[in-house]
Amino acid sequence: SYTTDTKSREENKKTIESLYSLSVDIKKIRRLKEWVLLQDVAYVKEIAGILQEMGADETAVAHILERCPEAILHSPAEINSQRALWQLVCQNEKQLIKLIEQFPESFFTTKYQQNQKANIMFFQELGLKNNIITRFLTSAPNIFYNPVEKNKNVIETLQRSYLNLGGSEANMKIWILKLLSQNPFILLNTSTAIQENLEFLQKNDFTDHEVLQLLSKLKGFIFQLSSTTMQKSMLFSKNVFKCSDQELKRLVLKCPALLYYSVSVLEERLEGLLKEGISVAQIRETPMVLELTTQIVQYRIKKLSALGYDIKSGSLESLNGTKKDFEVTYGKIQSKKERPIFNPVAPLHIED
């Protein structure tokens, strides 16, 4: 709604002066979003006042306006409405101003206030805790821009699918809430896309129970894929591991990344492992290693090699898992290596 034609316009002197008086780095704004400084109407002092009222000090106000200068183009009425809206899920203004400091762009998107409000109410009714909803507002704000009916539709499709796949009514709410809190972006999909992906898995002989298992393991990311990309990834794995459909299914259940990652990603990770002298047979035995980037794999192999652990002849299990998991494994291998074969000071039990 703002003009971005910068050639014929001049900077608004009043805006510049007001920002300057707040110790805002104007050079930064000129570099990133100069168009903001060209607008005829800006509410610099008013917006700064509202932020200060909420508890922001001078440094915080300057930081917020440098990061999101378009904040000054919103009227005080719009910002106060947004403030009331976010207070529905924030414990207090102290928490609210902290969120605005970290995620100013999310807070100052006021275009969809009615949708935002309706969605906040819907998520609360669904049983999502306020701290999860605030996380959504900051990290996945666009799910609030949808009309609430669209989000309801997606949730209903998920609930129906869960029951059709043999999930129990008693566990459905927990399942949905867990899925949403792990991946709120599910709501950006259409009900049709969700349906198509589930049908694709069923056509590929995954039982209802296995499909449910995959949904939980993939944290709903499966809905962001298309049947074409899943088909290509499965075909790639089938050719690489030279396995039957049934064996491939077992591998996918063991490592859903084979379904989720594109062929180019799988290819790059496979090549990285082969370069390290790891065989296809080893990877087939522990496919979860493909969930790790090539850099992580190289780093872990290097650390284990320094302990004298030969990955080519050992199991790839020691490479797997999160950073924390790997550190535990590494620690065990290290202490095993450092332990002496016999303790020279231990008493010898000699029979008479």
Side-chain angles (χ1 to χ4, degrees), residues 163 214 222:
L163 295 174
L214 278 173
I222 198 162

Side-chain angles (χ1 to χ4, degrees), residues 188-295:
L188 298 178
N189 299 301
T190 63
S191 304
T192 322
I194 290 174
Q195 215 51 58
E196 279 171 6
N197 284 1
L198 293 177
E199 279 165 19
F200 167 80
L201 294 172
Q202 287 166 317
K203 277 179 200 158
N204 277 276
D205 292 330
F206 286 94
T207 66
D208 289 352
H209 175 70
E210 287 166 344
V211 173
L212 263 187
Q213 212 181 316
L214 278 173
L215 294 191
S216 300
K217 276 190 176 180
L218 276 169
K219 300 174 183 171
F221 285 113
I222 198 162
F223 299 131
Q224 283 157 247
L225 305 172
S226 72
S227 48
T228 320
T229 55
M230 288 194 278
Q231 186 73 62
K232 283 178 182 169
S233 297
M234 281 175 76
L235 196 62
F236 172 77
S237 299
K238 193 179 176 181
N239 291 335
V240 165
F241 298 120
K242 297 181 175 45
C243 57
S244 67
D245 289 344
Q246 213 44 39
E247 286 169 325
L248 176 66
K249 206 177 83 165
R250 275 200 296 275
L251 284 175
V252 168
L253 286 167
K254 211 172 174 184
C255 174
L258 295 176
L259 196 64
Y260 178 68
Y261 287 122
S262 64
V263 170
S264 56
V265 170
L266 290 172
E267 221 162 16
E268 185 211 327
R269 291 183 180 187
L270 197 79
E271 271 172 34
L273 288 162
L274 297 177
K275 270 182 193 163
E276 295 293 335
I278 291 163
S279 68
V280 171
Q282 278 178 295
I283 301 166
R284 185 176 162 167
E285 200 55 47
T286 317
M288 293 79 75
V289 78
L290 291 166
E291 290 173 1
L292 304 168
T293 65
T294 306
Q295 289 84 342

Side-chain angles (χ1 to χ4, degrees), residues 123-151:
F123 292 142
Q124 286 175 328
E125 282 162 27
L126 204 61
L128 277 171
K129 290 190 166 65
N130 282 343
N131 63 331
I132 302 285
I133 301 174
T134 53
R135 203 180 81 213
F136 288 0
L137 275 169
T138 52
S139 58
N142 36 353
I143 67 171
F144 292 87
Y145 308 159
N146 286 338
V148 72
E149 291 70 31
K150 156 111 176 38
N151 286 340

Side-chain angles (χ1 to χ4, degrees), residues 171 311 347:
N171 291 333
I311 204 75

Side-chain angles (χ1 to χ4, degrees), residues 317-343:
E317 284 291 341
S318 47
L319 289 177
N320 275 344
T322 59
K323 188 182 178 192
K324 203 175 175 184
D325 296 334
F326 175 71
E327 279 164 7
V328 169
T329 308
Y330 178 79
K332 281 179 186 170
I333 295 170
Q334 194 177 30
S335 60
K336 213 173 182 180
K337 186 177 181 278
E338 286 167 359
R339 206 178 295 138
I341 294 164
F342 81 100
N343 186 345

